[in-house]
């Protein structure tokens, strides 16, 4: 599967642990859901008063079979997601594009970036992954504009280069104010 | 970059107007066998006919509204402002300086992927227009969940701090994005908003 390459992704690559982390996260969520369904079915059969053992066994078999298929599908989907994940620091803006089936791309000019922060959730800590978040003055950018699943060195490198680029752009704009400013 | 660019140069494709009624069509497809059995089966259920009728009426209404929304939405990329006009009964107009534009999104859902369309969304930082009211996604076991359905609801025109131009061809969406980025670069606001 061909990986979407950019200079930035070559320099600060995603970690392959991201695939396992996302697969496990999806599996946990689905397992909880299936457990609830199985519990509900067990309660239903007991309350009806039928011979439940055989039916519960069949239900468990179907649920676990379904779980296996879901885990396998999730793993291959996450591999696909990993391959098409694209991010690039161009001279004027940062571009992040994600999603193999329904791609979403966000373009954020450096001058609009208000905040650069790095975080880890529990599974990120287990797998040694970090998420680099950018935000402009809108909340949706804080949700959408992030590069998740990089290792510590890449996260720190991305943060440093982003902060440096933003500072340079701001200094450059202050030194050369535009004559086309519609506000003044 | 000279000349004014409008929706005539990069139009919303006609195919897009069928997108909002796909949900209704799926509902009809699901209900059609039930309707068949209710009409010709042993037990007649008149409620199915009512549901189907309601879906058809809603679909026709939705289809007409979508056509009108597309016809009444106009955008114009001019020298200093992005000018937008919309409204079927009540008309609205906005002038947005390029300097307040924060993010640009190019999004394709499943329908868009099949028909090679894309939506271009522009966000500005207008607090009064709802820049801070977008619901956040929450992380559970590393998965982001939240009000995804609302966030993915597609509109044509401007709403709160978002301007959405759906139904563009993918190429046109990328070109328009490039044009707006160039305009943003040429028209910065002197007092930039970054605190860094």
């Amino acid at each position: 599967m061909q990986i979407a390459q950019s200079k930035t992704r070559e320099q600060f690559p995603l970690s392959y642990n991201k695939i396992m982390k996302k697969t496990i996260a999806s599996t946990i969520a689905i397992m909880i859901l299936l457990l609830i369904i199985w519990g509900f079915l067990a309660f239903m059969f007991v309350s009806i008063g039928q011979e439940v053992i055989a039916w519960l066994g069949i239900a468990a078999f179907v649920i676990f079979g379904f779980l296996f298929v879901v885990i396998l599908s999730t793993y291959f989907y996450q591999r696909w997601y990993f391959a098409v994940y694209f991010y690039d620091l161009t001279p004027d803006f940062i571009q992040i594009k994600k999603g193999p089936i329904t791609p979403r791309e966000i373009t954020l000019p450096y001058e609009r970036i208000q905040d650069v922060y790095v975080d880890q959730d529990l599974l990120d800590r287990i797998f040694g992954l970090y998420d680099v978040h950018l935000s402009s003055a809108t909340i949706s950018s804080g949700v959408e504009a992030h590069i998740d699943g990089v290792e510590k060195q890449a996260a720190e490198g991305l943060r440093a280069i982003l902060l440096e680029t933003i500072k340079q752009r701001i200094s450059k704009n202050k030194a050369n104010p535009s004559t086309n400013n519609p506000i003044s | 970059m000279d000349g004014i660019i409008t929706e005539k140069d990069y139009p919303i494709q006609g195919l897009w107007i069928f997108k909002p009624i796909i949900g209704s069509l799926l509902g009809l497809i699901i209900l059609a066998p039930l309707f068949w059995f209710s009409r010709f089966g042993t037990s007649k259920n008149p409620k199915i006919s009512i549901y189907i009728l309601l879906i058809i009426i809603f679909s026709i209404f939705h289809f007409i509204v979508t056509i009108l929304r597309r016809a009444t939405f106009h955008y114009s990329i001019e020298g200093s402002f992005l000018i937008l006009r919309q409204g079927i009964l009540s008309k609205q107009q906005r002038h947005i300086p390029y300097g307040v534009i924060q993010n640009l999104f190019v999004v394709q859902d499943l329908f868009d992927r099949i028909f090679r369309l894309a939506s271009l969304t522009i966000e500005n930082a207008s607090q009064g227009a709802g820049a801070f009211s977008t619901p956040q996604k929450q992380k559970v076991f590393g998965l982001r969940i939240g009000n995804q359905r609302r966030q993915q609801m597609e509109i044509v025109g401007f709403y709160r701090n978002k301007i959405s131009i759906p139904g563009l061809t993918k190429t046109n969406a990328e070109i328009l994005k490039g044009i707006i980025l160039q305009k943003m670069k040429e028209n910065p606001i002197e007092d930039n908003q970054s605190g860094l």
Side-chain angles (χ1 to χ4, degrees):
Chain A
M1 195 171 284
Q2 199 174 3
I3 289 183
Q5 282 294 2
S6 68
K7 205 173 150 189
T8 308
R9 188 165 168 176
E10 278 174 28
Q11 196 178 356
F12 307 107
L14 292 178
S15 169
Y16 281 93
N17 287 345
K18 177 181 160 69
I19 299 171
M20 285 312 299
K21 179 235 165 170
K22 289 285 190 182
T23 305
I24 288 170
S26 300
T27 303
I28 291 171
I30 292 164
M31 269 178 64
I32 291 170
L33 183 65
L34 290 175
L35 214 59
I36 293 168
I37 292 171
W38 188 84
F40 175 74
L41 286 172
F43 177 76
M44 203 173 69
F45 287 133
V46 166
S47 63
I48 289 170
Q50 292 182 355
E51 181 60 53
V52 298
I53 295 174
W55 286 108
L56 281 178
I58 292 168
F61 180 76
V62 168
I63 283 170
F64 279 106
F66 180 69
L67 183 63
F68 177 74
V69 168
V70 165
I71 292 171
L72 213 59
S73 312
T74 306
Y75 174 73
F76 285 114
Y77 175 79
Q78 290 300 334
R79 277 189 63 172
W80 191 13
Y81 191 97
F82 180 90
V84 303
Y85 200 121
F86 175 86
Y87 49 95
D88 193 22
L89 271 60
T90 69
D92 295 321
F93 48 81
I94 179 165
Q95 200 170 1
I96 302 171
K97 186 176 176 183
K98 306 178 207 176
I101 300 172
T102 57
R104 289 181 74 83
E105 178 193 295
I106 180 168
T107 306
L108 206 53
Y110 297 114
E111 294 89 341
R112 304 292 187 271
I113 295 173
Q114 302 278 310
D115 187 14
V116 180
Y117 65 97
V118 178
D119 75 353
Q120 282 183 299
D121 59 31
L122 183 59
L123 283 173
D124 283 335
R125 291 189 69 181
I126 293 168
F127 285 95
L129 300 174
Y130 292 78
D131 298 348
V132 180
H133 294 262
L134 311 164
S135 61
S136 63
T138 65
I139 284 185
S140 60
S141 67
V143 174
E144 302 278 353
H146 63 273
I147 299 167
D148 56 313
V150 293
E151 291 182 358
K152 187 171 185 184
Q153 199 176 0
E156 285 174 356
L158 270 171
R159 180 174 56 189
I161 200 169
L162 278 164
L163 291 173
E164 186 56 38
T165 308
I166 291 161
K167 278 187 182 159
Q168 282 174 8
R169 291 303 297 250
I170 293 167
S171 307
K172 187 177 160 191
N173 286 345
K174 278 184 179 166
N176 300 308
S178 168
T179 54
N180 294 327
N181 191 338
I183 304 300
S184 62
Chain B
M1 191 179 302
D2 299 327
I4 296 171
I5 295 164
T6 70
E7 73 282 353
K8 291 181 177 52
D9 302 302
Y10 301 100
I12 295 171
Q13 300 297 304
L15 199 54
W16 175 80
I17 60 174
F18 296 99
K19 188 173 171 185
I21 63 169
I22 280 179
S24 307
L25 285 173
L26 283 172
L28 282 172
I29 289 167
I30 290 166
L31 284 174
L34 295 171
F35 174 73
W36 176 267
F37 288 122
S38 76
R39 288 283 287 177
F40 301 103
T42 51
S43 60
K44 293 187 192 292
N45 185 355
K47 283 187 184 173
I48 302 287
S49 307
I50 295 169
Y51 295 145
I52 288 178
L53 191 62
L54 283 173
I55 289 174
I56 291 171
I57 291 169
F58 172 77
S59 302
I60 292 169
F61 177 74
H62 198 179
F63 186 63
I64 293 169
V65 167
T66 304
I67 293 172
L68 289 173
R69 276 201 179 136
R70 176 176 172 258
T72 54
F73 171 68
H74 306 282
Y75 68 85
S76 177
I77 300 175
E78 301 194 4
S80 304
F81 295 94
L82 173 61
I83 300 171
L84 305 153
R85 286 180 289 123
Q86 70 180 24
I88 300 171
L89 296 174
S90 60
K91 300 290 184 184
Q92 298 161 303
Q93 190 177 66
R94 281 178 87 174
H95 284 66
I96 297 173
Y98 298 108
V100 302
I101 294 173
Q102 297 293 309
N103 319 314
L104 291 150
F105 292 90
V106 175
V107 176
Q108 287 182 294
D109 59 23
L110 203 54
F111 181 94
D112 290 338
R113 283 296 295 267
I114 293 167
F115 294 104
R116 297 180 195 272
L117 302 177
S119 295
L120 176 65
T121 302
I122 303 161
E123 279 191 334
N124 67 41
S126 172
Q127 184 176 357
F132 303 132
S133 59
T134 307
Q136 293 214 31
K137 289 183 183 179
Q138 299 297 324
K139 247 186 168 183
V140 176
F141 297 118
L143 295 174
R144 291 187 185 275
I145 59 170
N147 203 344
Q148 294 173 359
R149 186 174 173 182
R150 184 176 171 188
Q151 290 174 6
Q152 291 171 2
M153 185 178 67
E154 194 168 77
I155 54 161
V156 58
F158 52 89
Y159 174 72
R160 290 188 171 172
N161 68 320
K162 284 186 170 56
I163 301 141
S164 180
I165 309 174
L168 297 164
T169 61
K170 182 75 165 69
T171 313
N172 284 352
E174 293 290 337
I175 294 171
L176 263 181
K177 183 188 83 177
I179 292 169
I180 292 170
L181 283 168
Q182 184 60 28
K183 286 289 186 185
M184 287 164 69
K185 197 175 163 183
E186 291 168 0
N187 295 277
I189 284 188
E190 210 173 86
D191 187 19
N192 72 68
Q193 298 145 44
S194 178
L196 297 169

